[in-house]
DNA sequence: CTTGACCCTAGACCATAGTCTAGGGTTTAA
DNA sequence: TTAAACCCTAGACTATGGTCTAGGGTCAAG
């Protein structure tokens, strides 16, 4: 019933290095310790690693996951609105980054389009010229 | 005609810290040094900082900018095709990242949609439940 | 001749998410 | 009893793009 770190590692496919790293980051702590100081994890801890992995898959950072876990643990004192708000803020941040990436993509495509791409020397390459242009 | 680092910094809006950092990264080197060891920059160096800033704006990393500068310097020996290929590879990478962001955005939106967002306790919050779900 | 503004090098520090090593101790099985 | 396999802590190291400090040297004006 209690797992040592190596067992948890193979069960969750998270390395023991990473599990200890998550512990230092305050994401997970073993349910107890053996007499010799070995970490001992319970089934709840296994679930917790699952939560962390799920949250990572949807793009949350470790800090955000820490906050989500806090919400989870104290969920009786939090409302659905609190949790949804947390997710919606993340959606906004993701949207922001996507807009920036779209801008970048368009700029790059414009550069690519203007370049002949031939085997002629790049002496007059429009890409290099565009990047060299002074915007004063 | 020759600028000291502080002058280049205010001219380009790049801090002297960052200029020295770029130098360590091999992006730019002063045209010369004064007797007392001060960095002295030429007009070409000003252009070079402009190139770096332009390339940053379209999303290139410092390593990529280093490679682009290499292309620029040896442009007589490179073809337009080489330069365009470099940009197209970057576009592919950007597309990859955008796909991943879209996946994340959709997941987050699905989570948000399923949650009632009300002021009821989050004890049965579908978001927390979805993240807790085991995918074995 | 001192003050302030500038310059120098070398190196520490920040976030982010780990990975790995050194140098020990423990457990288990042959 | 000894070797393998596991565990422990503490801390270094990776990439990325800087920022900042410590502890000096230089230069110009008053
Ligand atoms: Zn061309
Ligand atoms: Zn071209
Ligand atoms: Zn609800
Ligand atoms: Zn909810």
């Amino acid at each position: 019933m209690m797992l040592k770190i190596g067992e948890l590692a193979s069960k969750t496919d998270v390395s023991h290095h990473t599990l200890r790293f998550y512990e230092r980051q305050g994401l997970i702590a073993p349910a107890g310790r053996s007499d010799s100081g070995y970490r001992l994890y319970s089934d709840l801890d296994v679930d917790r690693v699952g939560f962390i992995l799920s949250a990572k898959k949807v793009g949350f950072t470790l800090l955000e996951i820490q906050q989500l876990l806090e919400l989870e643990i104290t969920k009786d004192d939090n409302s659905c609105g609190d949790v949804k708000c947390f997710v919606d803020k993340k959606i906004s941040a993701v949207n922001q980054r996507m807009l920036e990436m779209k801008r970048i993509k368009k700029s790059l495509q414009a550069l690519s389009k203007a370049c002949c791409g031939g085997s002629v020397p790049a002496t007059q390459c429009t890409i290099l010229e565009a990047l060299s242009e002074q915007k004063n």
Side-chain angles (χ1 to χ4, degrees), chain A residues 26-37:
Chain A
L27 294 182
I28 189 173
R33 292 274 181 154
S34 76
D35 289 348
S36 50

Side-chain angles (χ1 to χ4, degrees), chain A residues 79-81 83-84:
Chain A
S79 68
C80 259
V83 181
K84 187 168 182 158

Side-chain angles (χ1 to χ4, degrees), chain A residues 91-132:
Chain A
I91 292 173
S92 291
V94 169
N95 277 331
Q96 274 303 105
R97 269 189 291 153
M98 283 189 64
L99 284 177
E100 173 71 358
M101 307 249 339
K102 268 178 197 158
R103 187 192 62 72
I104 282 172
K105 182 179 168 180
K106 274 185 188 166
S107 304
L108 288 171
Q109 282 175 331
L111 284 176
S112 179
K113 212 175 194 176
C115 170
C116 75
S119 52
V120 298
T123 319
Q124 253 102 13
C125 178
T126 53
I127 294 172
L128 296 178
E129 276 173 4
L131 293 174
S132 297

Side-chain angles (χ1 to χ4, degrees), chain A residues 2-5 23 28-43 45:
Chain A
M2 293 298 257
L3 304 173
K4 281 183 286 180
I5 199 167
E23 185 176 334
I28 189 173
R33 292 274 181 154
S34 76
D35 289 348
S36 50
Y38 288 14
R39 289 169 179 81
L40 295 175
Y41 297 94
S42 69
D43 289 349
D45 294 328

Side-chain angles (χ1 to χ4, degrees), chain A residues 5-20 22 49-50 52-53 56:
Chain A
I5 199 167
E7 292 161 337
L8 182 60
S10 53
K11 191 160 191 169
T12 59
D13 257 317
V14 174
S15 78
H16 61 282
H17 292 298
T18 301
L19 287 171
R20 285 195 277 247
Y22 286 170
V49 175
I52 294 169
L53 292 178
K56 269 177 69 66

